[in-house]
Amino acid sequence: MIPTEIRADFPILSEICYLDSAATSLSPEPVLAAMLEFEHVYRANVGRGVHRLAQVASQKYWDAHQKARRFIGAEGGELVFTRNTTEAINMIAWGLPWQNGDGIVTTLLEHHSNLLPWMRLRDQKGIDLQLIAPAADGALDLADFERAITPDTRLVAITHASNVLGNLVPVREIARICRDQGALLLVDGAQSVPHIPVNVERLGCDFLCFSGHKMLGPTGTGLLWMRRPEIEPLLLGGGAVDQVSTSGYTLASGYTRFEAGTPNIAGAIGLSRAVEYLEALGMEDVKRHEQALTRRMLEGLAGIPGVRVLGPGPAGDRIGVVSFTVGDMHPHEVATILDEEADIMVRSGHHCCMPLMTHLGIPDGTVRASLHCYNNADDVDRLIETVGKIAGGA
Ligand code: PLP
């Protein structure tokens, strides 16, 4: 059970109905307090100085990495802080040693952030890029992966959960195919890690990329976990090296190798507090809470004449991301009315998934309502009632 009192940790919820957590989540007061404590009490750079503030900041920054590792069940490998999922994915695209004849397999479900880096490799390095198309509800056919993944496939890059249709992708089964063919597996966990228990050992992936700002942490924070940190670092500079002379340098080991320059220290500390917050709620409970609300939302919206709900139904394996259209109204128009008439914040448009929208035949995109642990049944009912009124007048 998610205690209703947690809503007090998100004061803006007393003014609005926030249903846009798939874009970015709200941050609870304890996360903001942890960041403010850094600013007031021990603000200093990390990994360099010997004075006491530098030592406290460095220790907390190191702890933040350990907490994030624990959150995704990483027993080995390396966890690196990034700005967001996009940066994490680009670090892999840039850092892997690509060779002639390498192939990449991905899907049409992907967010542009898990598509454009691979398209650039196709266009600039001649990498073979295969795009697997989902069914209308987002379901992917494992037989397509069996066919597409061959010994030439260097990397399979897939989302764990669609940010448009909400369906969960069978990552463990795809990991098995990757292992059989010797391909690396990158999982875009931007929409899964904040909402369901995710364990990299159980998933069997080689890379997991996700965003701190979608899991109650500050904006400008993201994470990259690598089973084998063999990529070339994107940036070089202060903090990333052990030894430098005019004739050469030795890169540091550990996460610092991949985090050259002064990092977002307050952000990392806030993110680790967000991890603790989610752990205290329990990710199984977060998942159950959001599943119950998703069911309510799907059933309510499906009962409104003129509303078309996309993605898997209430019984499907999904997260709390619900896309819909209202008659032939433009999604932006619906989203604007929801805001102006009922203080409901939703996302509208293509959701950074233009190829998916083309594939689904809805170039204007959808209205997307997305949940997090702080939402309740009243939020869902308010959305259903207001969409009902809009559809009635559409
Ligand atoms: N991947 C998915 C599935 C997403 O939903 C998003 C953001 O919405 C991203 C990647 C990109 O995340 P960020 O903007 O934090 O880099």
Side-chain angles (χ1 to χ4, degrees), residues 22-23 84-87 111 113 159 161 163 188 190-191 211 213-214:
N84 45 43
T85 301
T86 306
E87 186 173 72
H111 189 281
S113 293
T159 191
N163 63 308
D188 173 353
Q191 297 296 347
S211 295
H213 68 92
K214 294 184 198 287

Side-chain angles (χ1 to χ4, degrees), residues 49-71:
V50 294
H51 63 75
R52 79 185 97 131
L53 296 193
Q55 294 208 19
V56 177
S58 299
Q59 182 64 43
K60 298 252 190 196
Y61 188 67
W62 185 85
D63 283 346
H65 286 73
Q66 306 315 312
K67 282 177 192 154
R69 288 176 67 90
R70 221 184 32 228
F71 191 63

Side-chain angles (χ1 to χ4, degrees), residues 82 84-93 186 209-210 223-224:
T82 65
N84 45 43
T85 301
T86 306
E87 186 173 72
I89 294 173
N90 275 273
M91 283 168 71
I92 302 302
L186 180 156
C209 307
F210 53 114
L223 303 101
L224 166 61

